């Protein structure tokens, strides 16, 4: 009986996973993934939001002060976020800098 339950559960998870994306399509960005991306790129935080005009979520990242500016090229932290987000489907990416007191 236990083996049957495990098999049915595993099949159910596989079917649901198949519904989330079509083969060859990138997964949709989730809140967990946004937080992990923020952590890996040393951003203060990463969240997602939903726009009524798009089925895809928007990513919003808070960066440490000065992290979004670079003289003549894309800032390294912004490049890191863009690279990590390339693995997901999302509507837009936005970022803002934290105030000095908010960063720890």
């Amino acid at each position: 009986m236990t083996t049957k339950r495990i098999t049915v559960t595993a099949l159910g998870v596989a079917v649901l996973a198949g519904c989330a994306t079509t083969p060859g399509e990138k997964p949709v960005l989730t809140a967990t993934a946004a937080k992990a991306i923020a952590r890996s790129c040393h951003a203060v935080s990463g969240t997602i939001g939903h726009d009524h005009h798009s089925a895809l979520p928007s990513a919003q990242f808070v960066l440490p002060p000065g992290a979004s500016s670079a003289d003549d090229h894309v800032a390294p932290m912004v490049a890191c976020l863009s690279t990590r987000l390339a693995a997901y489907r999302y509507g837009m990416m936005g970022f803002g800098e934290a105030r000095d007191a908010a960063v720890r």
Side-chain angles (χ1 to χ4, degrees):
M1 185 77 170
T2 304
T3 305
K4 284 184 181 180
R5 271 193 207 148
I6 292 171
T7 303
V8 169
T9 302
L11 286 172
V13 169
V15 168
L16 288 175
C19 292
T21 59
T22 57
E25 194 172 66
K26 296 177 186 179
V28 174
L29 181 66
T30 63
T32 302
K35 288 176 187 175
I37 290 169
R39 242 187 338 271
S40 70
C41 293
H42 307 289
V44 175
S45 66
T47 59
I48 62 167
H50 295 279
D51 184 358
H52 297 293
H53 302 292
S54 174
L56 296 175
S58 298
Q60 180 68 34
F61 295 95
V62 177
L63 311 180
S68 65
S69 58
D71 293 332
D72 60 347
H73 60 282
V74 176
M77 189 172 291
V78 174
C80 177
L81 293 169
S82 296
T83 300
R84 299 285 193 282
L85 282 170
Y88 297 93
R89 290 186 297 145
Y90 61 96
M92 294 178 59
M93 175 183 79
F95 57 90
E97 291 189 1
R99 297 179 188 187
D100 292 328
V103 178
R104 296 179 189 226

